[in-house]
């Protein structure tokens, strides 16, 4: 795979570290748990969207865009990383935020990622949950074009074949690291949402015949829908890479048993996973994605889904800034009162 064929703005701190998690491994009694630190990609507290944006923002730059527009949920990590990336390129950023949770918590609505969106100088507008966010975004983009702006729109999560190249490249990076360290990876696990991360990874893994099974832990859509979204995007990404047909339907596996009540609503397992990573490994997860991904990983370990000697890599996709939008979900002494007491 020859990624330098594609336009790219290099911003991410790569390669991200691949580390062993000794205390979590010990507490769970195996398998051997490793973590790939894509929470440390370096842009405005990091996260997985930065790898995708390296390829997307290169397209924006090539078309001479002066404004990028994207959309996501209120606490979107993608929106925050897009806003920060636009700063690096001297572009303006406008964001449409969908209220998927109906939360009235001021921290959820204004702290965490939302605070950073504004800190990066982005403008934002809200939409109620359930509207067609892509259509809303295209309509807003047209109104800016009518005013003479050169607009580049980025789909939710940066998930199209261009963005997914970032995760095909991550697959190559991971396999190179494993080879250099002499690590045999038996399974790769991560949280899957808008599908670009899983689609890029599976396209990359299959294109190089890595023989590493990939498991996405869903955070929103039901299994059939999630797998269909990932498969369609993985096929298109493989085609863009010059390897059409390498991804089979059965390569795409999503487990959606850990979504709980819905997108952005933490589950008890998610809170437990966040506390376990924080207290055993000093690693911060988030309540929307990586916490639910880790909840799935921990449950599957407990259920004996993996062999004790298996090496499992958890891809940490970031998002810990969203913790500050969810202090209410953690009943530590006084912390959930911080805003109310103001
Ligand atoms: C967006 C996101 C994901 C999911 O990645 P997709 O490519 O949208 O499937 C996982 N974790 C975090 C922290 C994210 O922000």
């Amino acid at each position: 795979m020859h990624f330098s064929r594609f336009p790219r703005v290099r911003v991410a701190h790569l390669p991200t570290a691949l580390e062993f998690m000794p205390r979590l491994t010990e507490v769970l009694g195996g398998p051997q748990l490793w973590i790939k630190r894509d929470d440390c990609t370096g842009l405005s507290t990091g996260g997985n969207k930065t790898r995708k944006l390296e390829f997307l923002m290169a397209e924006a730059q090539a078309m001479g865009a002066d404004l990028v527009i994207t959309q996501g949920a209120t606490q979107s990590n993608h929106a925050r990383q897009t806003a920060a990336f636009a700063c690096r390129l001297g572009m303006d950023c406008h964001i449409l935020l969908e209220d998927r949770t109906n939360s009235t918590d001021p921290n959820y609505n204004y702290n965490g990622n939302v605070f950073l969106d504004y800190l990066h100088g982005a403008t934002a507008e809200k939409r109620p949950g359930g509207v067609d966010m892509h259509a809303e975004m295209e309509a807003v983009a047209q109104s800016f074009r009518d005013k003479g702006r050169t607009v580049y729109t980025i789909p939710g999560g940066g998930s199209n074949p261009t963005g997914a190249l970032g995760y095909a490249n991550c697959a190559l990076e991971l396999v190179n690291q494993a080879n250099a360290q002499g690590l045999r990876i038996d399974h790769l696990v991560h949280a899957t949402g808008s599908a670009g991360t899983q689609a890029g990874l599976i396209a990359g893994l299959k294109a190089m015949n890595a023989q590493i099974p990939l498991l996405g832990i869903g955070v929103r859509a039901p299994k059939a829908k999630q797998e269909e979204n990932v498969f369609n995007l993985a096929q298109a990404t493989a085609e863009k890479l010059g390897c059409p047909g390498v991804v089979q339907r059965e390569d795409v596996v999503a487990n959606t048993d850990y979504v709980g009540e819905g997108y952005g609503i933490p589950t008890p397992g998610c809170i437990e996973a966040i506390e376990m990573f924080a207290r055993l490994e000093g690693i911060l997860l988030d309540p929307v994605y990586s916490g639910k991904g880790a909840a799935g990983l921990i449950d599957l370990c407990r259920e004996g889904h993996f062999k004790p000697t298996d090496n499992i890599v958890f891809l940490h996709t970031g998002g810990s800034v969203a913790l500050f939008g969810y202090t209410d979900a953690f009943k530590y002494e006084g912390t959930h009162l911080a805003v109310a007491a103001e």
Side-chain angles (χ1 to χ4, degrees):
M1 287 183 291
H2 186 195
F3 288 97
S4 40
R5 294 187 292 132
F6 301 102
R8 178 175 173 193
V9 182
R10 287 167 183 269
V11 163
H13 296 181
L14 303 180
T16 58
L18 175 61
E19 301 168 335
F20 186 54
M21 295 192 284
R23 296 196 66 218
L24 187 64
T25 297
E26 192 188 334
V27 163
L28 292 171
Q32 309 303 304
L33 294 171
W34 297 74
I35 188 163
K36 172 89 172 139
R37 298 297 302 271
D38 271 21
D39 57 321
C40 300
T41 48
L43 182 67
S44 183
T45 75
N48 65 336
K49 303 312 182 302
T50 302
R51 287 187 191 266
K52 304 180 187 181
L53 288 164
E54 287 195 325
F55 292 94
L56 292 161
M57 293 299 271
E59 282 190 359
Q61 203 173 39
M63 72 170 276
D66 55 24
L67 173 65
V68 293
I69 304 183
T70 196
Q71 52 97 357
T74 303
Q75 282 292 337
S76 169
N77 301 298
H78 164 68
R80 180 246 311 159
Q81 288 164 80
T82 303
F85 213 128
C87 294
R88 291 284 284 258
L89 300 184
M91 296 174 189
D92 292 330
C93 180
H94 185 70
I95 303 165
L96 279 77
L97 294 177
E98 178 187 4
D99 179 12
R100 291 186 199 161
T101 65
N102 292 317
S103 169
T104 55
D105 181 351
N107 275 332
Y108 180 82
N109 286 290
Y110 301 107
N111 205 339
N113 282 295
V114 184
F115 172 72
L116 295 185
D117 294 341
Y118 289 121
L119 179 60
H120 288 303
T123 50
E125 54 189 290
K126 290 210 165 185
R127 290 290 184 278
V131 304
D132 181 344
M133 289 297 285
H134 190 76
E136 293 289 320
M137 177 173 76
E138 288 305 330
V140 170
Q142 192 53 50
S143 72
F144 278 103
R145 287 181 184 118
D146 293 344
K147 289 180 217 148
R149 304 295 302 262
T150 306
V151 181
Y152 182 78
T153 57
I154 300 178
S159 287
N160 62 18
T162 299
L165 285 179
Y167 270 89
N169 190 33
C170 177
L172 180 61
E173 180 184 301
L174 176 63
V175 169
N176 280 331
Q177 277 174 317
N179 287 341
Q181 296 181 23
L183 174 70
R184 181 199 72 241
I185 300 174
D186 296 300
H187 237 105
L188 178 59
V189 179
H190 69 96
T192 182
S194 66
T197 301
Q198 189 171 3
L201 285 172
I202 202 68
L205 290 169
K206 292 294 296 205
M208 67 183 129
N209 193 19
Q211 307 197 7
I212 299 174
L214 178 66
L215 174 62
I217 308 285
V219 300
R220 189 180 190 192
K223 180 179 170 73
K225 182 73 192 155
Q226 186 66 20
E227 290 184 346
E228 183 192 324
N229 290 347
V230 173
F231 182 50
N232 291 338
L233 183 51
Q235 284 180 300
T237 306
E239 211 160 291
K240 194 173 175 89
L241 278 171
C243 314
V246 290
V247 180
Q248 312 299 309
R249 176 62 185 82
E250 59 269 24
D251 299 325
V252 176
V253 183
N255 180 330
T256 58
D257 294 347
Y258 303 94
V259 176
E261 265 181 70
Y263 175 90
I265 302 174
T267 59
C270 171
I271 300 296
E272 184 199 16
I274 292 172
E275 291 187 334
M276 285 179 79
F277 274 67
R279 294 170 183 189
L280 294 167
E281 298 292 345
I283 292 172
L284 298 177
L285 301 178
D286 82 277
V288 182
Y289 295 97
S290 56
K292 284 187 180 171
L297 172 70
I298 289 167
D299 188 57
L300 292 170
C301 291
R302 287 173 173 156
E303 294 288 311
H305 183 79
F306 307 109
K307 292 202 260 328
T309 51
D310 278 353
N311 292 307
I312 313 299
V313 175
F314 179 66
L315 174 71
H316 187 342
T317 42
S320 62
V321 158
L323 285 169
F324 302 104
Y326 281 88
T327 48
D328 243 2
F330 301 83
K331 300 294 183 197
Y332 305 141
E333 195 174 352
T335 58
H336 60 291
L337 302 174
V339 166
E342 241 177 43

